[in-house]
Structure formats: C-alpha cells, structure tokens
Amino acid sequence: MGRLRATIERLRAPDGCAWDREQTHRSIRDCLIEECAELLDTIDRDDPIHMREELGDVLVNVLMHARMAEEAGQFDIEDVAREVNEKLIRRHPHVFGEASADTSQEVLNRWDEIKKTEKKNGPNTEGPFKYLPKELSALLSARALFKQITKEKMPCEGVVDTAAVTALSENLTEAEAGKMLFDIVAACRLTGIDPESALRGHIAAVKSAIQSRLNA
C-alpha cells in the first residue's frame, strides 16, 4: 500500500505524468463510476482473478482523490482510513465493546441507533426521507425508499399498494422479476416513455404524498 501511495504521489508530482497532474475530483468522477461498475461485473460473474484487478482500479481512484485533497491541505489517505476505522469500531460495540447482538437484525438495529447519534456530514435529509444521491439509479432509489417506508411504518395507505406488493412478492423468483421488469422497460420503449424518468417521477409523488400526511 505504501508503494502504491508513493506511485500516486509521483504521478501527481510537478515532473510526473501530465495527464494525472491535470485531473481534479470532478474530472475523474466518471472514472470511479466506471471502475465500480466493472468491479460489480466481476462479482456477478464470480471472477475472483478479474475482481482483484478491478478492486485495484477502484483503490487507485480512492488514492487519487485522497492525494488531491492532501495537496489542497484538506485531508490525506491516513485521515480517510482513521475515520472509517473509528466508525466501524463505534458501530460494532458488540464486537469491540461490552454490548451484545446475537442476530443480524440486532446488529442492524444497533447500527441504526448509533448512526442517529452521530454528527451528520453531507447533504441534509429530505424531510423525513433519507437523502439519496442523484447518481443512484431510479430502481435502487425506489428500493431504498420502500425499505424506509416499511421500516419506519410511514403512512402510505393508498399511495403504495402494500397488499398488492405483498401478494406479488409471494413465490416471486429472480427470473420472473427480471422478466416483468424487462417487459415494463420494453413497453416504455414502444410508447416513448423513459423508464428512469417515469420511476423517478413516481418516487417524487410517493414522497410528496407521505410528506403531506406527516404534516397534516
């Protein structure tokens, strides 16, 4: 790791690589998205050899961003590692402290409880809803929203047909789910509807309806 860090520093040095010296956080953001997508592909294909390579590419991006921040006097990779290590220890008191958690659900519950007590960095939550970055696909955003709705028992009657969703989920297989999603996307293509925009629009409508009920 030390040698890789030194390599990144050398590439960013005044007499290093012209391309690497020119890069900024914003100019290489798409590189990180692409490398993460390629890493996910190796996981889906169960390809550990290629996974090792793609993990390295993601790591290079992490080190590049940390180096840029270090050059700006903001933080370095040691600060990054220290902060996430402290977070992991803090959120696992059943491992590093005296607390107990015997099941995965107990671990998740405790994780959420601890997270609520921590100082929040980044964007504020959107009312009662967890902030979701716009780079997250509409499909993953919808999944995250429904998870929050059910977990926090938000008033969604008439907004989300939970009975239909429950019925649909019974005995649903991955193959069947994939076919239904594909058919919907194909139908959108035939009618000129952008499925991403359609789903994002519905997500916004669900949030608005629930927000109105909570404010009533």
Side-chain angles (χ1 to χ4, degrees):
M1 180 65 76
R3 288 196 294 272
L4 177 57
R5 184 178 178 183
T7 297
I8 299 297
E9 292 175 0
R10 180 72 181 84
L11 291 172
R12 291 279 297 176
D15 59 343
C17 170
W19 185 89
D20 287 285
R21 291 201 315 270
E22 292 173 356
Q23 301 314 304
T24 65
H25 290 301
R26 185 166 293 278
S27 72
I28 63 171
R29 65 185 299 280
D30 288 346
C31 294
L32 180 56
I33 294 173
E34 181 179 342
E35 297 300 349
C36 287
E38 292 178 356
L39 172 59
L40 294 175
D41 182 61
T42 67
I43 294 173
D44 290 341
R45 291 186 289 101
D46 193 19
D47 183 355
I49 301 301
H50 194 194
M51 185 191 301
R52 181 180 63 194
E53 177 186 348
E54 296 303 336
L55 280 168
D57 290 340
V58 171
L59 180 58
V60 165
N61 275 266
V62 172
L63 289 171
M64 280 285 285
H65 284 289
R67 179 58 186 171
M68 292 174 189
E70 184 176 3
E71 293 165 359
Q74 298 165 334
F75 59 82
D76 62 16
I77 192 63
E78 291 296 326
D79 296 320
V80 173
R82 183 183 307 107
E83 183 171 334
V84 73
N85 185 58
E86 291 173 354
K87 180 192 294 185
L88 286 172
I89 293 174
R90 185 171 63 249
R91 293 188 184 179
H92 290 83
H94 55 288
V95 176
F96 302 102
E98 301 302 321
S100 62
D102 298 324
T103 68
S104 295
Q105 189 57 55
E106 288 176 344
V107 171
L108 293 175
N109 292 341
R110 186 174 296 279
W111 179 284
D112 288 339
E113 290 171 3
I114 296 171
K115 187 175 181 179
K116 290 177 181 178
T117 67
E118 296 172 343
K119 177 182 177 182
K120 292 180 173 57
N121 297 315
N124 295 323
T125 57
E126 301 172 331
F129 302 103
K130 177 183 177 181
Y131 173 80
L132 298 173
K134 65 181 185 300
E135 289 81 4
L136 196 65
S137 71
L139 199 61
L140 292 179
S141 295
R143 184 178 69 173
L145 174 60
F146 185 69
K147 176 183 177 182
Q148 184 179 6
I149 289 172
T150 54
K151 182 178 180 181
E152 299 181 14
K153 298 180 173 58
M154 292 182 166
C156 64
E157 298 80 6
V159 180
V160 178
D161 192 340
T162 53
V165 170
T166 300
L168 183 62
S169 68
E170 293 177 357
N171 302 316
L172 181 66
T173 66
E174 184 173 340
E176 291 169 340
K179 182 183 183 305
M180 285 189 287
L181 289 169
F182 183 85
D183 288 347
I184 290 173
V185 172
C188 286
R189 173 70 178 84
L190 292 177
T191 53
I193 296 173
D194 176 14
E196 270 287 305
S197 297
L199 185 52
R200 288 192 186 282
H202 187 67
I203 288 171
V206 170
K207 285 183 175 181
S208 178
I210 292 176
Q211 180 73 73
S212 295
R213 293 185 179 189
L214 291 172
N215 293 337

